[in-house]
Amino acid sequence: MDNISIWASARKKGRWKNSTMRKQTEKPLFPFWAEDRGLSFFLAFLVLMTIFVPMVRLSRYGRIGVDLIFALLLFSGAVATIRKRILMYLIMALTVLEFTADLIVEFTPSLGYWGSDTALKISGLAILVVMTLRHTFRPGPVSVHRVMGGVAAYLLIGVTWAFGYKLLMEERPGAIHFQSLLGGIPTGEPSPFIYFSFSVLTSVGFGDAYPVYRVARSLATAEALIGQLYPAILIATLVGMSLHTRSNAGAGG
């Protein structure tokens, strides 16, 4: 009987130890950034990327600076939204590869036709969209930072589609028609694609850019649908979460 008790106690202790190790493994690498307010800092990076960067026509070093900002954006998004370290390390590795590919393409433009740097950006952004939405809609009280996370995900969708258009234009020049004012901007810069993407996402079309190639039209249609549905779904979900939290608090009181 004593042997059975000892065995049961050891087994219980082993399960507790494994559970503790699992929790330590999933513990955020940077606790401060892992809090809800990390989403607000992440949103600030996105605003810088989508509003202020397109204002300037960039030189080579300016484009390298934008690439560095994008790498910081991926890094800040990883530490702000990802809880499991293995996924965080994956994003960090993707960030290093993306920035390295950008530098290679910048100094060896002939390699840019492969589109590897743009494809890596799209992959990283797609992961960040999913992780940001998971972080925003996880159970718990709805705070201002959660709302900021929802806005950050919306901007991420626009930036992801922008680089999707950029990749398409690298493979199929002329897929999107820009007037001469926008056409003077080098193809390597994301500015015209960010402008076009958010024009489609918000359904604000000025007629100075429009898709011509059928794949570009399909991408624009999908983005326009997301742009219409996402705000309604975001507001409804956050309101529902807030009401659910209040009802639970009232029942507990």
Side-chain angles (χ1 to χ4, degrees), residues 27-169:
K27 187 178 180 180
L29 187 60
F30 302 103
F32 173 78
W33 281 98
E35 297 175 0
D36 282 349
R37 53 184 170 176
L39 292 171
S40 298
F41 286 96
F42 185 34
L43 177 61
F45 273 104
L46 285 169
V47 170
L48 179 66
M49 180 73 180
T50 57
I51 296 178
F52 293 102
V53 169
M55 290 182 181
V56 185
R57 185 165 182 171
L58 301 174
S59 62
R60 166 176 286 182
Y61 294 104
R63 290 193 295 271
I64 293 175
V66 170
D67 294 335
L68 181 59
I69 290 173
F70 185 83
L72 291 174
L73 184 145
L74 285 180
F75 177 80
S76 65
V79 296
T81 62
I82 297 176
R83 291 292 183 265
K84 294 186 178 181
R85 287 194 177 187
I86 186 170
L87 291 178
M88 187 183 294
Y89 292 146
L90 177 63
I91 292 291
M92 290 179 180
L94 193 64
T95 301
V96 173
L97 287 174
E98 178 271 324
F99 186 64
T100 304
D102 282 335
L103 290 178
I104 292 174
V105 171
E106 188 62 43
F107 290 99
T108 313
S110 59
L111 298 178
Y113 293 104
W114 294 357
S116 57
D117 56 330
T118 307
L120 287 170
K121 282 190 178 75
I122 295 172
S123 300
L125 284 167
I127 294 173
L128 285 180
V129 169
V130 175
M131 299 308 297
T132 303
L133 290 175
R134 286 187 59 186
H135 187 76
T136 301
F137 295 137
R138 77 186 193 282
V142 178
S143 63
V144 175
H145 301 297
R146 293 281 192 100
V147 178
M148 295 296 182
V151 176
Y154 187 73
L155 294 182
L156 271 175
I157 292 171
V159 176
T160 304
W161 247 264
F163 283 103
Y165 295 131
K166 183 175 181 293
L167 181 61
L168 180 61
M169 285 285 283

Side-chain angles (χ1 to χ4, degrees), residues 13-32:
K13 185 182 293 186
R15 284 201 302 265
W16 177 83
K17 186 176 180 180
N18 291 335
S19 177
T20 303
M21 291 178 62
R22 192 180 301 113
K23 288 180 180 179
Q24 289 177 350
T25 302
E26 295 181 359
K27 187 178 180 180
L29 187 60
F30 302 103
F32 173 78

